[in-house]
Amino acid sequence: NMPSSNPNLKAEKGDVWTLGYNTNLNDKTAISASVYYSDLDNAITDVMVATGPNLTDYDWYYDNAKKEKRRGMEISVNHEFDENLSGYVSYAYMQIKQDTGYGFERNSNEKPNTYRAGLKYKNADWTYNADLTAVSGQKVRLSNWYGMSGYTDKNYFVLDLGAQYQVNNNLKLFANVYNVTDARYQEV
């Protein structure tokens, strides 16, 4: 089920702090790193409510959490192998804790560990790319009261492929194939 709307939602307010550093190791390799922290009031979240005669069905609605604290970091390396081939790797960590009135708890929407890697090949008219994303440690977002998982896995990897053709200066044609691995996952 899709979450129901809530006309009583309040605007999120808060502070976000980010500290980052970018550097080039040489003319072909760049490194980037950042850390962040946010402290929000009225963070918008979705809430699951058990429904049905045996409380085995569920419904969702949006509501405001009292407070939300988010922290994380990301590090990435980009490298040009030659004039046509480049690649990247990255790692990101994220933790979200929300207080919905009962103290801070880890938010089930987070993907705590995200690993990415990709390759891109480009010549005069064509560009091809392959991007791999792996996630570990995610809480299963949907489950019924019998412990059966919903539509996502705790750990998964997704492979996306793409190609584009530069017809002229004003027109590109492209095709993408997402989730070649047919993973069960969610974007938050």
Side-chain angles (χ1 to χ4, degrees), residues 36 44-46 60 68-73 91-99 104-114 116 134-142 151-156 185-188:
Y36 64 90
I44 296 174
T45 188
D46 45 9
W60 290 96
E68 177 181 277
K69 294 180 180 180
R70 226 176 247 249
R71 66 181 178 155
M73 57 81 67
Y91 168 74
Y93 169 80
M94 175 178 54
Q95 182 184 70
I96 304 171
K97 290 189 176 182
Q98 289 182 332
D99 181 355
F104 282 97
E105 295 179 7
R106 180 176 161 195
N107 184 311
S108 63
N109 291 341
E110 74 182 70
K111 297 185 276 189
N113 300 293
T114 302
R116 290 189 168 92
V135 169
S136 66
Q138 182 174 10
K139 289 176 91 175
V140 174
R141 177 182 168 124
L142 294 180
Y151 60 86
T152 191
D153 291 325
K154 294 178 183 181
N155 306 307
Y156 61 86
Y185 73 100
Q186 66 186 19
E187 288 294 329
V188 180

Coordinates of all heavy atoms in Angstrom, one line a residue, residues 36 44-46 60 68-73 91-99 104-114 116 134-142 151-156 185-188:
Y36 N 28.8 14.4 7.6 CA 27.6 15.3 7.8 C 26.9 14.9 9.1 O 26.9 13.8 9.6 CB 26.7 15.4 6.6 CG 26.0 14.1 6.4 CD1 24.8 13.7 7.0 CD2 26.6 13.1 5.5 CE1 24.1 12.5 6.7 CE2 25.9 11.9 5.3 CZ 24.7 11.6 5.9 OH 24.1 10.4 5.6
I44 N 9.6 14.5 8.6 CA 8.5 13.8 8.0 C 8.9 12.3 7.9 O 10.0 12.0 7.4 CB 8.1 14.4 6.6 CG1 7.6 15.8 6.8 CG2 7.1 13.5 5.9 CD1 7.3 16.5 5.5
T45 N 8.1 11.5 8.4 CA 8.3 10.0 8.3 C 7.0 9.3 8.0 O 6.0 9.9 8.0 CB 8.9 9.6 9.7 OG1 9.3 8.2 9.6 CG2 7.8 9.7 10.8
D46 N 7.1 8.0 7.7 CA 5.9 7.3 7.4 C 5.7 6.3 8.6 O 6.7 5.8 9.2 CB 5.9 6.6 6.1 CG 7.2 5.9 5.7 OD1 8.1 5.8 6.6 OD2 7.3 5.5 4.6
W60 N -0.3 2.7 5.7 CA 0.8 3.7 5.9 C 0.2 5.0 5.9 O -0.7 5.3 5.1 CB 1.9 3.6 4.8 CG 2.7 2.4 4.9 CD1 2.5 1.2 4.1 CD2 3.9 2.1 5.7 NE1 3.5 0.3 4.4 CE2 4.3 0.8 5.4 CE3 4.5 2.9 6.6 CZ2 5.4 0.3 6.0 CZ3 5.7 2.3 7.2 CH2 6.1 1.1 6.9
E68 N 14.7 14.3 14.6 CA 15.5 13.3 13.8 C 16.9 13.8 13.8 O 17.2 14.9 13.6 CB 15.0 13.3 12.4 CG 15.8 12.3 11.5 CD 15.3 12.2 10.1 OE1 14.3 11.5 9.8 OE2 15.9 13.0 9.3
K69 N 17.8 12.8 14.1 CA 19.2 13.0 14.0 C 19.8 12.1 12.9 O 19.5 10.9 12.9 CB 19.9 12.7 15.3 CG 19.5 13.7 16.4 CD 20.2 13.3 17.7 CE 19.7 14.3 18.8 NZ 20.3 14.0 20.1
R70 N 20.6 12.7 12.0 CA 21.2 12.0 10.9 C 22.7 12.3 10.9 O 23.1 13.4 11.1 CB 20.6 12.6 9.6 CG 20.2 11.6 8.6 CD 19.6 12.4 7.4 NE 18.2 12.2 7.3 CZ 17.6 11.5 6.4 NH1 18.3 11.0 5.4 NH2 16.3 11.3 6.4
R71 N 23.4 11.2 10.7 CA 24.9 11.4 10.6 C 25.4 10.4 9.6 O 24.8 9.4 9.3 CB 25.6 11.2 11.9 CG 25.5 9.8 12.5 CD 26.2 9.7 13.8 NE 26.0 8.3 14.3 CZ 26.9 7.8 15.1 NH1 27.9 8.4 15.6 NH2 26.7 6.5 15.5
G72 N 26.5 10.8 9.0 CA 27.1 9.9 8.0 C 28.4 10.4 7.4 O 28.9 11.5 7.8
M73 N 28.9 9.6 6.5 CA 30.1 10.0 5.8 C 30.1 9.3 4.4 O 29.4 8.4 4.2 CB 31.3 9.6 6.6 CG 31.4 8.1 7.0 SD 32.1 7.0 5.7 CE 33.7 7.5 5.5
Y91 N 32.1 4.6 -0.9 CA 31.5 4.0 0.2 C 30.8 5.1 1.0 O 31.3 6.2 1.2 CB 32.5 3.3 1.2 CG 31.9 2.9 2.5 CD1 31.0 1.9 2.6 CD2 32.2 3.7 3.6 CE1 30.4 1.5 3.8 CE2 31.6 3.4 4.9 CZ 30.7 2.3 4.9 OH 30.1 2.0 6.1
A92 N 29.5 4.8 1.4 CA 28.8 5.8 2.3 C 28.2 5.1 3.5 O 27.7 4.0 3.4 CB 27.7 6.4 1.4
Y93 N 28.3 5.8 4.6 CA 27.7 5.3 5.8 C 26.6 6.3 6.3 O 26.9 7.5 6.2 CB 28.7 5.1 6.9 CG 28.1 4.9 8.3 CD1 27.6 3.6 8.6 CD2 27.9 5.9 9.2 CE1 27.0 3.4 9.9 CE2 27.3 5.7 10.4 CZ 26.9 4.5 10.8 OH 26.3 4.3 12.0
M94 N 25.5 5.8 6.7 CA 24.4 6.7 7.2 C 23.7 6.1 8.4 O 23.4 4.9 8.4 CB 23.4 7.0 6.0 CG 22.2 7.8 6.5 SD 21.0 8.2 5.2 CE 20.6 6.6 4.6
Q95 N 23.4 6.9 9.3 CA 22.6 6.5 10.5 C 21.5 7.5 10.7 O 21.8 8.7 10.7 CB 23.4 6.3 11.7 CG 22.6 5.8 12.9 CD 23.4 5.8 14.2 OE1 23.8 6.8 14.7 NE2 23.7 4.5 14.6
I96 N 20.3 7.1 10.8 CA 19.1 8.0 11.1 C 18.5 7.5 12.4 O 18.1 6.3 12.5 CB 18.1 7.9 9.9 CG1 18.7 8.3 8.6 CG2 16.9 8.9 10.2 CD1 17.8 8.1 7.4
K97 N 18.3 8.4 13.3 CA 17.5 8.1 14.5 C 16.4 9.1 14.6 O 16.6 10.3 14.5 CB 18.4 8.1 15.7 CG 19.4 6.9 15.8 CD 20.1 6.9 17.1 CE 21.0 5.6 17.1 NZ 21.7 5.5 18.3
Q98 N 15.2 8.6 14.9 CA 14.0 9.5 15.1 C 13.4 9.3 16.4 O 13.4 8.2 17.0 CB 13.0 9.1 14.0 CG 13.4 9.6 12.6 CD 12.3 9.3 11.6 OE1 11.5 8.4 11.8 NE2 12.3 10.1 10.6
D99 N 12.9 10.4 17.0 CA 12.2 10.4 18.2 C 10.7 10.7 17.9 O 10.4 11.8 17.5 CB 12.7 11.4 19.2 CG 11.9 11.4 20.5 OD1 10.9 10.7 20.7 OD2 12.3 12.2 21.4
F104 N 14.7 8.1 21.1 CA 15.3 7.9 19.8 C 15.5 6.5 19.4 O 15.9 5.7 20.2 CB 16.7 8.6 19.7 CG 16.6 10.1 19.5 CD1 16.7 10.9 20.6 CD2 16.4 10.6 18.3 CE1 16.6 12.3 20.4 CE2 16.3 12.0 18.1 CZ 16.4 12.8 19.2
E105 N 15.0 6.1 18.2 CA 15.2 4.8 17.7 C 15.7 4.9 16.3 O 15.5 5.8 15.6 CB 13.8 4.1 17.6 CG 13.1 3.8 18.9 CD 11.8 3.2 18.8 OE1 11.4 2.8 17.7 OE2 11.1 3.0 19.9
R106 N 16.4 3.8 15.9 CA 17.0 3.8 14.5 C 15.8 3.7 13.5 O 14.9 2.9 13.7 CB 17.8 2.5 14.3 CG 18.4 2.4 13.0 CD 19.4 1.2 12.9 NE 19.5 0.9 11.5 CZ 20.0 -0.2 11.0 NH1 20.4 -1.1 11.9 NH2 20.2 -0.4 9.8
N107 N 15.9 4.5 12.5 CA 14.9 4.6 11.4 C 15.0 3.4 10.5 O 16.1 3.1 10.0 CB 15.0 5.9 10.7 CG 13.9 6.1 9.7 OD1 13.6 5.2 8.9 ND2 13.3 7.3 9.7
S108 N 13.9 2.7 10.2 CA 14.0 1.5 9.3 C 14.1 1.9 7.9 O 14.3 1.0 7.1 CB 12.7 0.7 9.5 OG 11.6 1.5 9.1
N109 N 14.1 3.1 7.5 CA 14.3 3.5 6.1 C 15.7 3.6 5.6 O 16.0 3.7 4.5 CB 13.6 4.8 5.8 CG 12.1 4.8 5.9 OD1 11.5 3.7 5.8 ND2 11.5 5.9 6.1
E110 N 16.6 3.6 6.6 CA 18.0 3.8 6.2 C 18.7 2.7 5.6 O 18.4 1.5 5.8 CB 18.8 4.3 7.4 CG 19.1 3.2 8.4 CD 19.9 3.7 9.6 OE1 19.2 4.4 10.4 OE2 21.0 3.4 9.8
K111 N 19.7 3.0 4.7 CA 20.6 2.0 4.2 C 22.0 2.4 4.8 O 22.7 3.3 4.3 CB 20.7 2.2 2.7 CG 19.4 1.9 2.0 CD 19.5 1.9 0.5 CE 19.4 3.3 0.0 NZ 19.3 3.4 -1.5
P112 N 22.4 1.7 5.9 CA 23.6 2.2 6.6 C 24.9 2.1 5.8 O 25.7 2.9 6.0 CB 23.6 1.3 7.8 CG 22.7 0.1 7.5 CD 21.8 0.6 6.5
N113 N 25.0 1.1 5.0 CA 26.3 0.9 4.2 C 26.0 0.8 2.8 O 25.3 -0.2 2.3 CB 27.0 -0.4 4.7 CG 27.4 -0.4 6.1 OD1 28.2 0.4 6.6 ND2 26.7 -1.2 6.9
T114 N 26.5 1.7 2.0 CA 26.2 1.7 0.5 C 27.6 1.8 -0.2 O 28.4 2.6 0.1 CB 25.4 2.9 0.1 OG1 24.1 2.9 0.8 CG2 25.1 2.9 -1.4
R116 N 29.5 1.7 -4.0 CA 29.2 1.9 -5.4 C 30.5 1.7 -6.2 O 31.6 2.1 -5.7 CB 28.6 3.3 -5.6 CG 27.2 3.4 -5.1 CD 26.6 4.8 -5.6 NE 25.2 4.8 -5.3 CZ 24.7 5.3 -4.2 NH1 25.4 5.7 -3.3 NH2 23.4 5.2 -4.1
A134 N 25.8 -1.8 -4.0 CA 25.6 -2.8 -3.0 C 25.2 -2.1 -1.7 O 25.8 -1.1 -1.3 CB 26.8 -3.7 -2.9
V135 N 24.3 -2.7 -1.0 CA 23.8 -2.2 0.3 C 23.9 -3.3 1.3 O 23.5 -4.5 1.0 CB 22.4 -1.6 0.2 CG1 21.8 -1.3 1.6 CG2 22.3 -0.4 -0.7
S136 N 24.3 -3.0 2.5 CA 24.3 -4.0 3.6 C 23.8 -3.4 4.9 O 24.0 -2.2 5.1 CB 25.7 -4.6 3.8 OG 26.6 -3.6 4.3
G137 N 23.2 -4.2 5.7 CA 22.7 -3.7 7.0 C 21.4 -3.0 7.0 O 21.0 -2.5 8.1
Q138 N 20.6 -3.0 5.9 CA 19.3 -2.3 5.9 C 18.3 -3.1 6.7 O 18.3 -4.3 6.6 CB 18.9 -2.1 4.5 CG 17.5 -1.4 4.4 CD 17.2 -1.1 2.9 OE1 17.8 -1.6 2.0 NE2 16.2 -0.3 2.8
K139 N 17.5 -2.4 7.5 CA 16.5 -3.1 8.2 C 15.4 -3.4 7.2 O 15.1 -2.6 6.3 CB 15.9 -2.2 9.3 CG 16.8 -2.1 10.5 CD 16.2 -1.1 11.5 CE 15.4 -1.8 12.5 NZ 14.9 -0.9 13.6
V140 N 14.7 -4.6 7.3 CA 13.6 -4.9 6.4 C 12.5 -4.0 6.8 O 12.0 -3.9 7.9 CB 13.2 -6.4 6.6 CG1 12.0 -6.7 5.7 CG2 14.4 -7.3 6.2
R141 N 12.1 -3.2 5.8 CA 11.1 -2.2 6.0 C 9.7 -2.7 6.3 O 9.0 -2.3 7.2 CB 11.1 -1.2 4.8 CG 10.0 -0.2 5.0 CD 10.0 0.7 3.8 NE 8.8 1.5 3.9 CZ 8.8 2.8 3.8 NH1 9.9 3.4 3.7 NH2 7.7 3.4 3.9
L142 N 9.3 -3.6 5.5 CA 7.9 -4.2 5.6 C 8.0 -5.6 6.1 O 8.7 -6.4 5.6 CB 7.2 -4.2 4.3 CG 6.9 -2.8 3.7 CD1 6.1 -3.0 2.4 CD2 6.0 -2.0 4.6
Y151 N 9.0 -6.2 0.7 CA 9.5 -6.1 -0.6 C 11.0 -5.7 -0.7 O 11.4 -5.2 -1.8 CB 8.6 -5.1 -1.4 CG 8.6 -3.7 -0.8 CD1 9.6 -2.7 -1.1 CD2 7.6 -3.3 0.1 CE1 9.6 -1.5 -0.6 CE2 7.6 -2.0 0.6 CZ 8.6 -1.1 0.2 OH 8.5 0.1 0.8
T152 N 11.7 -5.8 0.3 CA 13.2 -5.5 0.2 C 14.0 -6.5 1.0 O 13.5 -7.1 1.9 CB 13.4 -4.1 0.6 OG1 14.7 -3.7 0.3 CG2 13.2 -3.9 2.1
D153 N 15.3 -6.6 0.6 CA 16.2 -7.5 1.3 C 17.1 -6.6 2.1 O 17.4 -5.4 1.8 CB 17.1 -8.3 0.3 CG 16.2 -9.3 -0.5 OD1 15.3 -9.9 0.2 OD2 16.5 -9.6 -1.6
K154 N 17.7 -7.2 3.2 CA 18.6 -6.5 4.1 C 19.9 -6.1 3.4 O 20.5 -5.1 3.6 CB 18.9 -7.3 5.3 CG 17.7 -7.5 6.2 CD 18.1 -8.4 7.4 CE 16.9 -8.6 8.3 NZ 17.3 -9.5 9.4
N155 N 20.4 -7.1 2.5 CA 21.6 -6.9 1.8 C 21.3 -7.2 0.3 O 20.6 -8.2 0.0 CB 22.7 -7.8 2.3 CG 22.9 -7.7 3.8 OD1 23.2 -6.7 4.3 ND2 22.8 -8.9 4.5
Y156 N 21.8 -6.4 -0.6 CA 21.5 -6.6 -2.0 C 22.5 -5.9 -2.8 O 23.2 -5.0 -2.4 CB 20.1 -6.1 -2.4 CG 19.8 -4.7 -2.2 CD1 20.1 -3.7 -3.1 CD2 19.2 -4.2 -1.0 CE1 19.9 -2.4 -3.0 CE2 19.0 -2.9 -0.8 CZ 19.3 -2.0 -1.8 OH 19.1 -0.6 -1.6
Y185 N 14.6 -4.2 -3.7 CA 15.2 -3.1 -2.9 C 14.3 -1.9 -3.0 O 13.3 -1.9 -3.7 CB 16.6 -2.7 -3.5 CG 16.5 -2.0 -4.8 CD1 16.7 -0.6 -4.8 CD2 16.4 -2.6 -6.0 CE1 16.7 0.1 -6.0 CE2 16.4 -2.0 -7.2 CZ 16.5 -0.6 -7.2 OH 16.5 0.1 -8.4
Q186 N 14.6 -0.9 -2.2 CA 13.8 0.3 -2.1 C 14.7 1.5 -2.1 O 15.8 1.5 -1.6 CB 12.9 0.3 -0.8 CG 13.7 0.4 0.4 CD 12.9 0.3 1.7 OE1 11.8 -0.2 1.6 NE2 13.4 0.8 2.8
E187 N 14.2 2.6 -2.7 CA 14.9 3.8 -2.7 C 14.2 4.7 -1.7 O 13.0 4.8 -1.7 CB 14.9 4.5 -4.1 CG 15.8 3.8 -5.1 CD 17.2 3.9 -4.8 OE1 17.7 4.9 -4.2 OE2 18.0 3.0 -5.1
V188 N 15.0 5.4 -0.8 CA 14.4 6.2 0.2 C 14.8 7.6 -0.1 O 15.9 7.9 -0.4 CB 14.9 5.7 1.6 CG1 14.3 6.6 2.6 CG2 14.5 4.3 1.8

